[in-house]
Amino acid sequence: MGNRRGINVEIWDHPIFKKMSVEERTFYLYLLTNRHATGIGIYHIVRKLIAFELGVSIDSSQALLDRFSLEYELIRYNRETREVAIKDWGKFVQLNGGKRVMLSELKEVGDHSLIPFVSESIAKPKIRSLYDSFCTQEQGIT
């Protein structure tokens, strides 16, 4: 049995999701549920792998990354660290990794500016404070 990730069905009512094409919806659901995703909404992935797993060209995967970053502002992709951060991760994915697992995954993030980008949309105060405290520790603020 593999990993399971619950998706909030309210995603179908999200105004931006309603505007998306079938290809864009597939891409967004892929970002939320692929086997490379972590429990924190930030993970390493390369364009070539996205293209391969979705069955699209590398140019198409780049165009989707750009559209979701620039037009929809739902993700950030750092080409240097090859990390994607999903803004509404906390709204649409069931967060159940536990504090230790989440801290471990937060420590693996190469581009720390991605952490507050994801934490902004986390509704649960305990989980949001975990992200925020990690950012504070990383900046040397106590």
Side-chain angles (χ1 to χ4, degrees):
M1 195 182 301
N3 289 336
R4 294 179 184 214
R5 194 164 285 118
I7 298 292
N8 186 337
V9 296
E10 290 178 10
I11 193 170
W12 296 97
D13 297 325
H14 194 282
I16 293 175
F17 196 76
K18 285 182 174 184
K19 290 181 185 179
M20 291 179 187
S21 68
V22 171
E23 179 185 48
E24 292 170 333
R25 288 178 182 182
T26 301
F27 177 71
Y28 194 47
L29 290 171
Y30 167 79
L31 290 178
L32 293 169
T33 62
N34 74 75
R35 63 187 172 99
H36 314 288
T38 63
I40 60 167
I42 305 167
Y43 57 92
H44 297 274
I45 195 158
V46 294
R47 296 172 300 153
K48 188 174 182 178
L49 183 61
I50 293 169
F52 175 75
E53 291 187 339
L54 287 177
V56 299
S57 69
I58 294 173
D59 289 341
S60 291
S61 70
Q62 184 60 56
L64 286 163
L65 285 167
D66 290 344
R67 193 172 321 132
F68 275 72
S69 294
L70 303 172
E71 185 180 330
Y72 292 136
E73 298 178 350
L74 291 173
I75 68 166
R76 287 195 182 155
Y77 186 75
N78 182 319
R79 290 184 190 199
E80 290 179 27
T81 63
R82 297 178 175 168
E83 292 172 302
V84 66
I86 305 166
K87 182 179 184 178
D88 290 334
W89 178 262
K91 288 182 184 177
F92 300 128
V93 176
Q94 181 180 352
L95 304 170
N96 59 1
K99 184 177 180 177
R100 254 189 214 155
V101 172
M102 292 179 89
L103 279 173
S104 173
E105 290 176 348
L106 285 165
K107 288 178 184 175
E108 296 295 317
V109 174
D111 178 356
H112 292 189
S113 73
L114 299 175
I115 296 171
F117 176 74
V118 174
S119 75
E120 291 172 5
S121 65
I122 296 174
K124 292 183 179 180
K126 266 188 169 179
I127 295 173
R128 186 174 183 164
S129 69
L130 180 66
Y131 281 68
D132 294 343
S133 70
F134 183 84
C135 293
T136 304
Q137 289 173 5
E138 287 300 306
Q139 295 170 358
I141 302 169
T142 54

